[in-house]
Amino acid sequence: MKIIAVIPARYEASRFPGKLMQILGEKTVIATTYQNVAETGLFDEVFVATDSEIIFKEVQQIGGNAVMTGQHETGSDRIAEAVHDLDCDIVINVQGDEPFLKKEPLKQLIEVFQDDGNREIALASLKIRLHETEEIQSPNNVKVVTDQQGFALYFSRSIIPFHREKSIDAEYFKHIGVYAFRKEALLKFANLEMTPLEKLEKIECLRYLENGMKIKMIETDFVGVGIDVPEDLEKARGILNTYKS
């Protein structure tokens, strides 16, 4: 299988415009993300897909690969345009604002497809257990619930599941926005219209569920910071010295 990683990157993020060009240590956020993904050695190719000349030039300046795309509502739509004519089997979507993503969870996603001899799985993604009440309640953290085979039932910015029966311990999982697609599934996604729940929650993977497609969720102990708001950037700066690729 030919496996590539694509980092969708837009400059005008709604909650934190220009976040990918913020300085994290001695490099920008997008440069840190790109270099950490490339250094895993897991991929035949790594590149950034963007509609921003600022980000495009930044990636080129550090010796990275970047392609210009049109404007898109979601990262997956942007990646679909970027890989449409590429010869590849598996596409890993790494969010540009996840600079501390490590090798092991990416390897776990790839193994989903290596072990799928019958080609039953079209899409896989990551989840991590939440413990702190503030993290569980935050709408910036997308929560996910799964069935007993590990396939996603629903994603929400609200608290799911609702903890009504207090005699049972509740488990909460955060969805980490890293996706692994078969190329044909990604192209299919891009040809589907945005769905009502996707528009309502602003969560692109709901488009899959609303169209009857399955998402295999892999639990990881990955701990990082997704940079959604300025406060997240400060957290990222705080853990930078302890991060190891």
Side-chain angles (χ1 to χ4, degrees), residues 100-145:
F100 300 136
L101 189 59
K102 295 184 179 181
K103 180 175 181 177
E104 186 55 33
L106 295 174
K107 184 179 178 182
Q108 287 177 292
L109 286 176
I110 292 170
E111 288 172 347
V112 167
F113 297 97
Q114 291 174 334
D115 297 337
D116 183 29
N118 294 327
R119 296 175 60 89
E120 294 176 341
I121 298 173
L123 170 64
S125 193
L126 298 173
K127 65 177 183 178
I128 186 170
R129 195 179 299 265
L130 291 175
H131 299 284
E132 301 296 328
T133 300
E134 181 181 355
E135 292 293 303
I136 294 168
Q137 293 178 341
S138 172
N140 293 324
N141 290 332
V142 174
K143 274 70 70 176
V144 59
V145 290

Side-chain angles (χ1 to χ4, degrees), residues 160-176:
I160 53 172
F162 179 75
H163 194 185
R164 180 177 179 179
E165 181 48 71
K166 301 301 182 182
S167 65
I168 301 173
D169 291 334
E171 293 183 332
Y172 298 96
F173 290 92
K174 175 185 176 180
H175 176 225
I176 299 173

Side-chain angles (χ1 to χ4, degrees), residues 143-194:
K143 274 70 70 176
V144 59
V145 290
T146 61
D147 66 17
Q148 295 187 7
Q149 285 72 49
F151 289 96
L153 292 171
Y154 192 64
F155 299 85
S156 182
R157 298 185 184 278
S158 297
I159 300 174
I160 53 172
F162 179 75
H163 194 185
R164 180 177 179 179
E165 181 48 71
K166 301 301 182 182
S167 65
I168 301 173
D169 291 334
E171 293 183 332
Y172 298 96
F173 290 92
K174 175 185 176 180
H175 176 225
I176 299 173
V178 180
Y179 304 92
F181 306 89
R182 293 195 188 278
K183 180 184 174 182
E184 58 266 30
L186 176 60
L187 297 183
K188 179 179 178 179
F189 171 90
N191 285 325
L192 296 170
E193 296 291 333
M194 290 186 71

